[in-house]
Amino acid sequence: MAASRDYDHNNTNGYSSSSSNEDENAGYPFDFLETDFQCIICTMVIRGFTELPCGHAGCKFCIEKWEKQKVACCECQESYDKTKKQESRYNDRKIKHERLARCKQHEQGCTWKGSIADYKDQHRKRCGFRNVRCRLCNQKVVRHETEEHKLTCTHRLVNCTTCGAQYSFINKKKHDDEECKQHCDYWQFGCHEKVCKPNMERHLANSARRHIELVKAHYDRIVRELNTTVNLQSKHITELTTQLERTKLPIATSSSSPTVKQTVKPKTLPRPPIRIYEREEEKQQQPPVNPIRPASAKWDGQKIHEIVFQGETLTFDDVWEILREKKFAKFEEIFQQNPNIVNSLRDDGGYGSTLLMRAVVEDHFDVFVHLMDYPQDFSLVDNHGENVLHFVGWNGEVRHLEKFDQQTIEKLIDGRDKSNSTPLHRAASFNKHDVIRWLLAKGANPELKNNAGRRPDEHLYCDGVTKEIFRSFRSS
């Protein structure tokens, strides 16, 4: 018996099942869940169950082939009479329909389990892990990847977008260069011939006179159409003008009683009242405010997020905007009702700075000077442990420092933040040369180190001038 080819004859989508290595002249090449019924010769599950007189069994074909060499059991070497061996259809049916086996493609990922009969009748035709052969490129493709292969197959059929012809993708270059018939370059002028790319140059040379005539005829037609349109428009304009002249009414005029157009004076809207301090000259005429401020406005430890002033809720930022816009009179009223606003930290989860610190950060010196007239608690620090001199160190100037008295300077000049940096560290890291000189002159300690073990002039961002200031100070 010849070896069979395992084709999927019901497949019509351009793929055929690849040949199987299954040989019907031997046992079943399946991975059975149970290992009984093994042939004594090929050691596979028996196909065509044949039992020898000695009790051993094997495939019908295997035993017949063995008998050509020796009529004896290959297992126990017992001789026997060929007429006494027995075939068992019962065991054949039991093997085909009852013994469970795995799919031949279980190593590739198929999880099917069933009988040999079910595999041949049903599963073999739809197993997604079987190899099928593409009829176009003749390559083996796993069945569940056939749709993807259709899109990438080098021999897939595609339609030319220029001429509409169908060709194999692998021949695309040949089709574009030799077979594709393209419109002539003068197609829009009336030459409707389609020519292959290699013949296009020859076509243009041979049809040059005809192409010139087509172009001339095309533009002559455009000129005629334009002239016709212009004539129609001119005629229409003439008709409209004539109609307008006929329907125009005479204007009655009388020289004896000239009409004088009475002018109506527009009503003037009442001017809104001028707000206080709206004009600069009025602002100067206002008497100075002499508020009676509380003798002490020491911070009570409460972080203010918002206050209520004259029925209006004001946040910390709202109060700052009032100061930034130089509405000092309004701020004075707020202070009279909420004196702690001067020494309250901003409750925003960020720096937690005071109004005085913010005036330094945003470089509003006039606001800074105004706030210095209020009772300040200079011992306050922000969420990073920085006092007001730290803020002057990285964004202020000497004029800020000169507003502090000597007692306050001595108290704050070597203050440490959470990184153990002093105001001198901050001034050095931002290369505030004048501030550095001023702090050193007032007694700032240049030898103090921060958590990184660096002195103020050892910061990574210190420039040459900053380092020279410290060098000169230490040598003096």
Side-chain angles (χ1 to χ4, degrees), residues 13-16 130-158 168-169:
N13 60 356
Y15 294 87
S16 61
R130 290 194 68 211
N131 287 333
V132 294
R133 192 175 297 278
C134 176
R135 298 183 187 275
L136 297 176
C137 64
N138 203 34
Q139 291 184 357
K140 290 183 179 180
V141 184
V142 180
R143 177 173 284 153
H144 67 78
E145 296 178 355
T146 54
E147 293 300 324
E148 181 180 353
H149 178 73
K150 287 180 182 179
L151 302 176
T152 58
C153 179
T154 56
H155 289 72
R156 66 185 183 275
L157 298 179
V158 293
S168 179
F169 181 78

Side-chain angles (χ1 to χ4, degrees), residues 236-252:
H236 184 60
I237 291 173
T238 303
E239 292 176 355
L240 290 176
T241 304
T242 304
Q243 186 177 0
L244 183 62
E245 291 292 337
R246 291 176 181 175
T247 58
K248 185 182 296 184
L249 297 176
I251 300 175

Side-chain angles (χ1 to χ4, degrees), residues 367-401:
V367 177
F368 176 83
V369 173
H370 184 76
L371 288 172
M372 288 293 288
D373 292 338
Y374 289 82
Q376 296 284 345
D377 185 356
F378 297 114
S379 64
L380 294 179
V381 294
D382 68 354
N383 294 338
H384 298 286
E386 295 183 342
N387 60 41
V388 66
L389 288 194
H390 285 89
F391 282 80
V392 176
W394 61 273
N395 201 53
E397 300 174 2
V398 172
R399 60 179 180 172
H400 292 91
L401 296 170

Side-chain angles (χ1 to χ4, degrees), residues 28 113 121 133-134 144 154 164 238 245 258 268 270 339 355 358 367 378 389 403 419 441 458 464 475:
Y28 292 109
K113 296 176 183 178
D121 295 340
R133 192 175 297 278
C134 176
H144 67 78
T154 56
T238 303
E245 291 292 337
T268 58
L355 291 171
R358 187 162 182 177
V367 177
F378 297 114
L389 288 194
K403 295 298 178 180
S419 64
E458 293 174 346
S475 62

Side-chain angles (χ1 to χ4, degrees), residues 433-463:
H433 304 143
D434 293 337
V435 175
I436 295 171
R437 294 187 183 96
W438 195 93
L439 291 173
L440 289 173
K442 290 296 182 179
N445 188 351
E447 305 303 325
L448 296 178
K449 297 182 179 181
N450 58 16
N451 289 342
R454 294 191 178 98
R455 296 182 298 182
D457 57 321
E458 293 174 346
H459 196 276
L460 297 176
Y461 297 131
C462 288
D463 59 14

Side-chain angles (χ1 to χ4, degrees), residues 96-204:
K96 288 182 180 180
H97 296 277
E98 297 182 10
R99 288 294 181 266
L100 297 181
R102 295 183 179 89
C103 176
K104 292 181 180 180
Q105 283 72 36
H106 71 277
E107 293 182 355
Q108 285 72 34
C110 184
T111 58
W112 178 88
K113 296 176 183 178
S115 65
I116 297 175
D118 291 341
Y119 175 83
K120 290 185 175 182
D121 295 340
Q122 300 177 11
H123 180 68
R124 181 177 61 177
K125 299 177 182 179
R126 59 172 181 262
C127 178
F129 293 88
R130 290 194 68 211
N131 287 333
V132 294
R133 192 175 297 278
C134 176
R135 298 183 187 275
L136 297 176
C137 64
N138 203 34
Q139 291 184 357
K140 290 183 179 180
V141 184
V142 180
R143 177 173 284 153
H144 67 78
E145 296 178 355
T146 54
E147 293 300 324
E148 181 180 353
H149 178 73
K150 287 180 182 179
L151 302 176
T152 58
C153 179
T154 56
H155 289 72
R156 66 185 183 275
L157 298 179
V158 293
N159 293 323
C160 178
T161 57
T162 303
C163 64
Q166 192 176 62
Y167 59 90
S168 179
F169 181 78
I170 198 172
N171 297 325
K172 183 178 187 304
K173 189 176 187 307
K174 179 182 178 181
H175 174 79
D176 293 343
D177 294 342
E178 301 177 9
E179 301 172 356
C180 182
K181 291 186 177 182
Q182 303 176 1
H183 286 291
C184 172
D185 294 344
Y186 292 87
W187 174 81
Q188 59 179 336
F189 299 106
C191 181
H192 299 299
E193 293 190 24
K194 291 185 177 181
V195 186
C196 295
K197 190 174 181 179
N199 301 329
M200 181 62 71
E201 187 175 351
R202 183 174 59 184
H203 166 73
L204 294 176

Side-chain angles (χ1 to χ4, degrees), residues 215-229:
V215 172
K216 183 178 181 299
H218 176 76
Y219 284 108
D220 288 344
R221 184 169 60 254
I222 292 177
V223 171
R224 287 196 301 271
E225 292 176 356
L226 289 175
N227 289 334
T228 302
T229 303

